[in-house]
Amino acid sequence: MTTTPIVIVPGWRNSGPGHWQSLWAEQLPNARRVEQDDWVSPRREAWVERVSHTVTEAAAQGGPVVVVAHSLGCIATAHLPPAVMQHIGAALLVAPADPERRGILADFAPVPYQPLPFRSLVVASSNDPYCPSRLAGAYARAWGSEFVRLNNAGHINVDSGHGPWPLGLGLLQSLLAPLPAPPRAEPFHA
């Protein structure tokens, strides 16, 4: 991996010890994890403020930052103010939540439907119980994100068999890799 700062943004109820986000936070020396005061009854203002602070702090250490968000963490990331988003170079947004269908998450609705000002990749599952893949696809289109739809991967968490999640690490690596220079145009001779 690179020395690019990585900010891990867990979703509702946090990511437990075997969750790929927790494992990555331990493995990646340049990763820092967002910690919320209340993982059970989330409030948008408090969550966005905590994510904003962590992103800004990481960027000061050597930005731009790559965000790795899961579930409600994806929605909190989409709610970040523009001044914070400018510190983000890319984002891996995995199994976004649907706050409009889950009362406890309603404070995060409506979900922003504006393009994100950084490269992003939305990864969703065909059978996620918390967000239909067609809605995750709509988020991806609205955010200007690349979209990866996994077949029968559940909520892409420990309960659905995703511990270390090597595919996710590969996707993260693709966001960390420098983008190739555009091909040089050859002069046209008639």
Side-chain angles (χ1 to χ4, degrees):
M1 294 269 167
T2 68
T3 58
T4 302
I6 297 170
V7 173
I8 296 175
V9 186
W12 180 44
R13 296 188 176 172
N14 202 350
S15 298
H19 193 287
W20 55 269
Q21 282 189 310
S22 301
L23 298 172
W24 294 6
E26 294 167 6
Q27 291 173 354
L28 304 172
N30 48 332
R32 61 181 68 206
R33 182 187 182 108
V34 173
E35 292 297 336
Q36 299 291 353
D37 290 329
D38 188 348
W39 290 107
V40 178
S41 301
R43 306 304 314 155
R44 181 173 73 192
E45 184 178 334
W47 272 47
V48 169
E49 183 179 319
R50 190 58 63 89
V51 175
S52 295
H53 175 77
T54 308
V55 165
T56 303
E57 198 174 68
Q61 300 299 311
V65 171
V66 171
V67 169
V68 177
H70 182 255
S71 192
L72 190 60
C74 300
I75 308 306
T77 299
H79 277 293
L80 291 172
V84 174
M85 285 191 182
Q86 74 181 4
H87 298 298
I88 300 173
L92 179 61
L93 306 168
V94 181
D98 178 4
E100 295 176 12
R101 292 191 184 158
R102 195 152 189 102
I104 191 85
L105 309 181
D107 194 41
F108 289 78
V111 173
Y113 273 81
Q114 292 83 34
L116 299 173
F118 45 81
R119 182 173 177 218
S120 57
L121 182 59
V122 171
V123 182
S125 169
S126 64
N127 66 340
D128 188 332
Y130 301 108
C131 182
S133 64
R134 69 183 175 282
L135 178 58
Y139 291 160
R141 284 187 299 281
W143 297 339
S145 306
E146 297 170 63
F147 184 59
V148 175
R149 183 178 170 270
L150 303 179
N151 198 28
N152 298 322
H155 194 50
I156 312 174
N157 59 5
V158 174
D159 291 344
S160 61
H162 295 85
W165 195 38
L167 172 63
L169 266 179
L171 294 170
L172 173 59
Q173 184 63 45
S174 76
L175 291 173
L176 292 169
L179 296 175
R184 191 171 158 191
E186 295 296 322
F188 177 76
H189 299 288

